[in-house]
Amino acid sequence: MKVLLIEDHEAMQATLRRSLERGGGVQVLCCGDGARALERWRASCPDVVLLDLGLPGRDGLQVLADARAEGLRTPVLILTARGTVGDRVLGLNTGADDYLPKPFDLDELEARLRALARRGGAPADGPGSFMGLQVDGDSGAVYHRGEALELPPREAALLRALLARPGQAVAKERLLALVFADEPEVLPDAIEVVAYRLRKKLARTGARIVTLRGLGYLLKADDGSTATSPAAG
């Protein structure tokens, strides 16, 4: 589950990010500027938006109103110190899906976010799934938010291996054995070519393959940096 946290208080950002990501299966992206929030929302394609109202640059309610007018249907949970009934009604009428006043319980916040993700059709990440990518246990096909990815067999095998342990390094030797099981004499550098091709096909999914020199590869949330070339390993 990918959460976009739109909150300008840096300490609150850090606390919420750490708390939501502690159990795994949740990736938190942050934005602290109301003027850039809508751009970040469009670019990140989150499963849920956690929105503070008191933002610099543009008020949170205006960000929400603009997003809904633009057709962005991502579930939104408003998180704010404005706790009156009138504020809650205004937020919900503007297009929010839920409302949690500060101070709040972190476990309740996480439960509400997961409920909104399920309501919005985003599966909570579990074994074999990450950032909307999911492996069909019967066919071995890989889907992104319900749409099958058209991958050659070797790229699909590499992605399945990385999805089994998202966020953790998988040794190059192990990947080589899994991806080239029918070619025991293949050169080790062959896995780099497969990883390079797969990186390009994952560019719009929110997931990225990272090379860890001397360790292997891992799958992580895309932070917007440039993927390495096959020559870089």
Side-chain angles (χ1 to χ4, degrees), residues 40-52:
R40 182 69 161 153
W41 190 335
R42 293 190 206 101
S44 60
C45 299
D47 298 315
V48 187
V49 171
L50 184 55
L51 176 65
D52 183 42

Side-chain angles (χ1 to χ4, degrees), residues 74-153:
T74 314
V76 173
L77 191 157
I78 288 180
L79 190 64
T80 181
R82 304 178 195 175
T84 67
V85 173
D87 288 325
R88 291 197 296 272
V89 170
L90 181 58
L92 294 170
N93 285 341
T94 303
D97 297 89
D98 201 355
Y99 201 111
L100 192 60
K102 301 175 182 178
F104 53 86
D105 181 82
L106 288 171
D107 289 336
E108 181 182 2
L109 171 63
E110 184 172 355
R112 288 179 181 237
L113 288 173
R114 291 191 179 279
L116 287 177
R118 289 193 298 270
R119 188 187 309 171
D125 289 324
S129 64
F130 180 71
M131 304 296 291
L133 292 164
Q134 193 160 24
V135 178
D136 185 297
D138 295 324
S139 67
V142 183
Y143 293 80
H144 180 246
R145 306 198 188 287
E147 182 177 349
L149 297 180
E150 296 184 8
L151 299 174

Side-chain angles (χ1 to χ4, degrees), residues 1-232:
M1 176 175 66
K2 179 160 60 172
V3 176
L4 174 59
L5 171 60
I6 305 175
E7 162 68 61
D8 66 308
H9 195 283
E10 291 186 3
M12 177 67 77
Q13 268 193 22
T15 297
L16 289 176
R17 186 172 192 170
R18 183 172 58 251
S19 299
L20 292 172
E21 292 183 342
R22 65 188 172 187
V26 178
Q27 176 68 30
V28 180
L29 307 177
C30 297
C31 177
D33 184 356
R36 298 184 60 191
L38 196 57
E39 176 185 353
R40 182 69 161 153
W41 190 335
R42 293 190 206 101
S44 60
C45 299
D47 298 315
V48 187
V49 171
L50 184 55
L51 176 65
D52 183 42
L53 295 187
L55 296 170
R58 181 178 295 177
D59 182 82
L61 281 179
Q62 187 60 54
V63 172
L64 177 58
D66 291 346
R68 294 310 192 216
E70 194 174 296
L72 295 174
R73 309 317 307 166
T74 314
V76 173
L77 191 157
I78 288 180
L79 190 64
T80 181
R82 304 178 195 175
T84 67
V85 173
D87 288 325
R88 291 197 296 272
V89 170
L90 181 58
L92 294 170
N93 285 341
T94 303
D97 297 89
D98 201 355
Y99 201 111
L100 192 60
K102 301 175 182 178
F104 53 86
D105 181 82
L106 288 171
D107 289 336
E108 181 182 2
L109 171 63
E110 184 172 355
R112 288 179 181 237
L113 288 173
R114 291 191 179 279
L116 287 177
R118 289 193 298 270
R119 188 187 309 171
D125 289 324
S129 64
F130 180 71
M131 304 296 291
L133 292 164
Q134 193 160 24
V135 178
D136 185 297
D138 295 324
S139 67
V142 183
Y143 293 80
H144 180 246
R145 306 198 188 287
E147 182 177 349
L149 297 180
E150 296 184 8
L151 299 174
R154 300 201 195 288
E155 292 173 28
L158 175 58
L159 184 52
R160 286 194 296 269
L162 295 174
L163 280 170
R165 299 174 59 187
Q168 301 180 49
V170 183
K172 195 172 182 179
E173 293 76 12
R174 173 171 174 75
L175 293 174
L176 195 69
L178 291 171
V179 174
F180 293 93
D182 57 340
E183 295 185 43
E185 303 301 321
V186 70
L187 295 175
D189 289 350
I191 196 69
E192 297 173 8
V193 176
V194 179
Y196 174 69
R197 291 172 178 167
L198 181 57
R199 276 192 185 101
K200 295 196 292 185
K201 294 176 182 177
L202 294 180
R204 301 180 66 180
T205 68
R208 182 164 68 94
I209 298 173
V210 176
T211 303
L212 300 176
R213 296 191 183 278
L215 294 176
Y217 296 90
L218 65 79
L219 197 63
K220 64 170 287 185
D222 191 358
D223 58 6
S225 61
T226 303
T228 54
S229 68

